[in-house]
Each structure stands twice: as structure tokens, then as C-alpha cells.
Amino acid sequence: MTGIEGPFWRAVAVFRVASLGYAAVLLIRAGGYAHPVTGWLVIGVMALWTAGTIFAYSVEELRGRPLLAADMLVTVGCLLATPMAQGVYQEGSLPITGTWMGGAVLAWGVYGGRRLGAVAALIVSLADLWLHGVPGGGFETLPINGTVLLFLAGTVVGHVARLAKKAEERMERAIELEVAGRERERLARGIHDSVLQVLALVQRRGQEIGGEAAELGRLAGEQEAALRELVRLRPEAPAAGTADLCALLHRYGSATVTVSAPATPLILPAATAAEMAAAVGAALDNVARHCGVRAPAWVFAESDDGLVTVTVRDEGPGMAPGRLEEAAADGRLGVAQSIRGRVADLGGTVSVISAPGRGTEIEMSVPTG
Amino acid sequence: MRVMVVDDHPMWRDGVARDLAEAGYEVVAAVGEGRQAVRVAAAVRPELVVLDLRLPDLPGVEVARRLAAAEPPPRVLVLSASGEQEDVLEAIKAGASGYLLKSASKEEFLDAVRRTAGGDAVFTPGLAGLVLGEYRRLAARSAPEATPRLTERETEVLRLVAKGLSYKQIAERLVLAHRTVQNHVQNTLNKLQLHNRVELARYAIEQGLDES
């Protein structure tokens, strides 16, 4: 038996044993009721069932609806055997099961929460009330104390058991996350202290030596940038349905692409953040196509007055003013146009600043709300 | 110019020290640990410290803070393989006047050292983005009277730095003197560091009042 459920089942077992003893004491005190043999027979069944359930509920595979149903059947059966043992119903006396019938209600509550607990209380109460009603008493004479107590026990225990289970699940998740985070941090530290340093060194020395070494250095530099981004420690994940645009943009960082952003996350609705990141990706592809794969590019993200703005800049050949409009008029949709459409769908705006020989700057803004 | 190198990676430490010596700087110390760095700095009084943020015993940010407490404080150039943005921003706020990634070339590095030695702030595009973000974060907080603000021109210059333009390109685009661009960048850093010192002092006073 593991986890938080174990103590609950053990408590139910203790309750069953104690209330079994109580039922036996009641039987002895009453001098065996009208039919002592039947009475002790019922107590015997209760004792066997108590032992059986203590075992069965302790095994996780056995816990389930069939066991709960059997538990309820035996309990109600013993309860309904009361007239056979006690004879004519005595005003104010407990049924032969005593408080033992509460065991099944608690079991239902622990297993299925407060609703199932309430259902179990209802079943047992109906049986109990029917017993009292058999001699033909009216509603005003029905003893409803027991019913109220059964309902309270079923719902409260069910509720608490459910809360405890949820708390335990949350705790387990938190521990898993923490372990994963710590492992990641350990790896990051190791990589920072060794691999990144060496890659950066190879890149630097390679450039100085030149020739083939420069090419090796360049490759080392690319790996250094990729690895640095991979092990960058991120702040905790943003709330569900939102995403940190900074984190998405930093993935574009490389030996040629420089990403500048605030240290604090830029939180956007997840879909907006993904679309913006895709638009930036398209702009960077465009830079690679028009200016060459080794051409440097800069991505700059900022947030001001409810607007998140991302600028992608290159120092390529640039364009003459009006070229975008010409392309659009010819029915050719340039990349800038497709970016414009994407961002417009998000309720944002795009401006393109470019001149021949002066590079190109694509600035995209979307509202944060 | 007396320079100290703080880096826990021996190959880097030696390489950086050699580059500096070849370029004519006097390397007075090269150490691999934070506490040692603070101690040695007090003894050899370097004018410039090249500081790695990732050290085994003390966070580089803390080293920068302690170095800044010296009188006169050395200029600090952060040279780090770390992409940890919070750390970089904290080191800058604590008094470092420049930041360079280790992947920078030797020429870029020596240029950054020269500028730091000359009292200028060395801003990479990444650092400009961080500083601009920090000003906006401060402006979005509740206490506006104590918040440092950028002028429109400073914001404009910082944005251009973040977009990867060199000071020369910025000067051309905004029709300013190169020196003026440099001053604007320097001002953004000074205001942030001043604000940080005031905040620290206020925090210390509040803590002191609470204890008494």
C-alpha cells in the first residue's frame, strides 16, 4: 500500500474492527437479543467480512467497484438481518450491526470522493430507515440522527480523501519538475564550465590562424552558439495558453544571427507568440536567401505601451523604395508581404525600412492583450 | 594600464592574458576564483578587470559588486561564455561597464578592452536589449518618482544598438557626432547604475530600521 491512500484505508480498517467490537458488546449487553444464535451468526459474518475487507482494500488491484458493491451488499444484508436477531424493533436501539455499517460508507467515500460517499450513505440510510419503518411508525418517529451522521461521514471523509489525493499528485509533479530542473542545471553548469569554453576558444584561435583552421573555428562557433542556447536556463514556464516570445526568439540565435531581448519574459497568447516567431523565422530565411547564409542578421524584441515589437535587420543589398509595392502590383507576393499578412491577422502592423546598399529592417508590432 | 584577468578556465585565462600582454597592457594578475580575485584586486589595484561571470566559488555578479566597492573602483569588462541574461544585467547594474561574449574575435575583444580602459561603455546588441528592457520594466512598476528614465534620444540610440548598428552607423543615421552617440550610451548605463546604488542603499536602510 503506497501513497496517501494507505493511511485512509488503515483508518477504515480500524473503524471496522472497533465497531465490530462495539456491536458484539451491544449483543452481550442485550443478553443476546431475542435470537442469540442468529445474532452471533450475524456478528460472525461481520467479523469474517471485516477481516476480508481489511485484506482486500489493502491490495490496490482488488480495490474497485466490484469490491465496493460486495461490501455494500454484505453490509446491507447484515443490517437487514436485524429483525431476525432482535425480534420486535425496540425504540431507540441500534440495529445489530451497531455502527459497523458506517464502514462501507467510509470505504465508498475514500474510494470515490464525497459524491460516492453520499450515495453509500443514502443506500445504508434507506435500509436503516426501512427497518425502523417496518413496524409501521410515522415520519415524525423515524430516528434520523444516524442518517445525518452517515451522510456527514460519507461526504466529509470522501472530500478529505480526494483533497489528500490531489495534494499528493501535485506534490509528485512538483518533485518531478524539480528533479528535472536540477539535472538540467547540473548539465548546464558542466557544459558552461567546459565544452562552451573550449568551443569558443577553438573559434577564436581558428580565426587568428586562418585558412582551414578558420573554417574549423567557424564550425566550432556555430556549435557553441547552438549549445549555449540549448542549455540556457529559462525562468519557469508561463501560464497555460501563453508563451514567452523571448524564449522562442532566442532559438534563432547563431553565429550569424544576434538576438537581443529583455531579461524578463515577453508574455503573449501562445498562438500569437508562435505566429510572431514564425514571421521572424520567415524574415531570417529571407535574409539568408538574399544576402547569403553567412550574412549577419539581428533580431531585437522589445515591449512598450502594450505593444510587443520585433525587428529583424540585415546589412544586405537592400531595396529601392516602392519595390515591395511593385512586386505586390505584379501579383508576386514577396516574403515581406506574407509576413505583413501574418502579423495583420494578429491585429498588428509591419513596417519595412530599406534602401539600396543600406540593408533592410522589418519591424513587426502586435498588441500584448 | 594595469589589468587583471579573472577566469576559472586555465586555457582562457592564459590566452586572454597573453593577448592583453601582446597588445601592450600590463597584466598584473590572472586568477581563477572569485574570492581570490577580490583579495588580489585589493592588493595589486588593477585599473581594469576582465571578468568571467561563471566562477567556482563566488558568482561573477558578486565579484563585480565587491570590485565596485573599491576606491577608486577598477573598470570591469565582463567576458563570458554565459548567455545568462539575468546575470549579465545584474553585473552591469553592479558596476561593470561592458559585456562581451567569449565568441567575439580577438580584434573585437581588444577593441572592447581599449574602449573600457578609455572609460567608455561597451555595449553589444544583446546588452542594449537587456538595458532597454530593464528601463521599461522599472517604468512599469508602481513607484514612478524613483524610476530612472531614458530621454527620447537615448531610447532611440539604444534601440539602434540593439538592432546591431555600430556607433558609426548610428551617428550617420541620426546625424550626430560619434562622441555624442557614445555619451548617450554611457548615460543610459550611468543612470541605471546610480539607480541600483540608491535602491541598495534604501534597502539597507529599511532592513536596518526593521532590525532596530
Side-chain angles (χ1 to χ4, degrees), chain A:
Chain A
M1 204 183 294
T2 56
I4 196 78
E5 254 190 274
F8 276 97
W9 291 117
R10 277 198 291 279
V12 172
V14 169
F15 174 83
R16 277 188 210 259
V17 171
S19 56
L20 175 71
Y22 182 43
V25 169
L26 283 180
L27 180 67
I28 293 167
R29 204 181 61 164
Y33 297 128
H35 311 282
V37 179
T38 319
W40 283 110
L41 207 60
V42 175
I43 295 288
V45 171
M46 282 162 54
L48 281 178
W49 188 244
T50 298
T53 50
I54 288 175
F55 167 74
Y57 281 119
S58 72
V59 181
E60 203 175 339
E61 293 77 47
L62 290 179
R63 286 203 292 267
R65 305 228 157 203
L67 179 59
L68 290 179
D71 196 4
M72 184 56 74
L73 277 178
V74 173
T75 302
V76 172
C78 289
L79 184 59
L80 293 181
T82 299
M84 283 177 261
Q86 289 184 342
V88 181
Y89 170 65
Q90 312 284 312
E91 186 75 28
S93 78
L94 282 169
I96 183 152
T97 53
T99 53
W100 186 80
M101 58 192 182
V105 175
L106 294 182
W108 281 45
V110 170
Y111 181 81
R114 60 170 188 265
R115 287 208 187 83
L116 214 53
V119 170
L122 181 71
I123 298 170
V124 175
S125 302
L126 282 178
D128 186 36
L129 291 177
W130 182 76
L131 274 185
H132 294 311
V134 169
F139 173 74
E140 57 278 6
T141 64
L142 282 180
I144 56 168
N145 266 348
T147 308
V148 172
L149 287 176
L150 278 175
F151 266 99
L152 275 179
T155 52
V156 170
V157 170
H159 188 57
V160 171
R162 183 53 61 88
L163 279 184
K165 255 185 262 181
K166 276 192 189 148
E168 190 193 30
E169 278 166 21
R170 246 174 246 156
M171 179 75 114
E172 269 171 14
R173 255 206 311 279
I175 290 172
E176 273 169 27
L177 281 178
E178 202 193 317
V179 168
R182 227 182 284 140
E183 176 62 11
R184 191 187 165 83
E185 220 166 290
R186 193 185 64 76
L187 278 176
R189 222 175 3 253
I191 290 172
H192 266 293
D193 291 348
S194 54
V195 187
L196 283 188
Q197 309 262 2
V198 173
L199 283 176
L201 197 64
V202 170
Q203 180 194 17
R204 198 150 175 268
R205 289 291 170 219
Q207 281 174 359
E208 286 166 33
I209 298 167
E212 259 182 66
E215 176 64 14
L216 289 178
R218 194 185 61 75
L219 289 174
E222 276 174 13
Q223 291 308 306
E224 190 259 349
L227 197 56
R228 175 151 40 82
E229 180 44 35
L230 208 61
V231 298
R232 208 165 63 82
L233 294 179
R234 289 175 187 79
E236 64 276 20
T242 65
D244 174 18
L245 182 61
C246 289
L248 297 177
L249 293 182
H250 275 296
R251 289 188 196 147
Y252 292 120
S254 71
T256 54
V257 179
T258 307
V259 179
S260 316
T264 44
L266 290 175
I267 302 295
L268 286 175
T272 309
E275 270 297 285
M276 279 295 268
V280 169
L284 288 173
D285 288 346
N286 201 34
V287 172
R289 194 157 49 241
H290 289 289
C291 318
V293 284
R294 301 262 181 92
W298 290 266
V299 177
F300 167 48
E302 59 187 321
S303 145
D304 199 19
D305 280 341
L307 273 185
V308 167
T309 303
V310 184
T311 310
V312 179
R313 180 177 161 272
D314 68 61
E315 297 195 326
M319 296 175 286
R323 236 202 55 206
L324 285 177
E325 287 72 14
E326 270 173 41
D330 292 351
R332 286 181 291 124
L333 274 184
V335 169
Q337 292 292 354
S338 84
I339 291 172
R340 196 165 270 169
R342 258 201 169 117
V343 177
D345 287 344
L346 302 172
T349 53
V350 173
S351 67
V352 180
I353 305 167
S354 186
R358 301 281 301 270
T360 305
E361 235 181 274
I362 302 179
E363 196 178 282
M364 318 163 214
S365 295
V366 283
T368 47

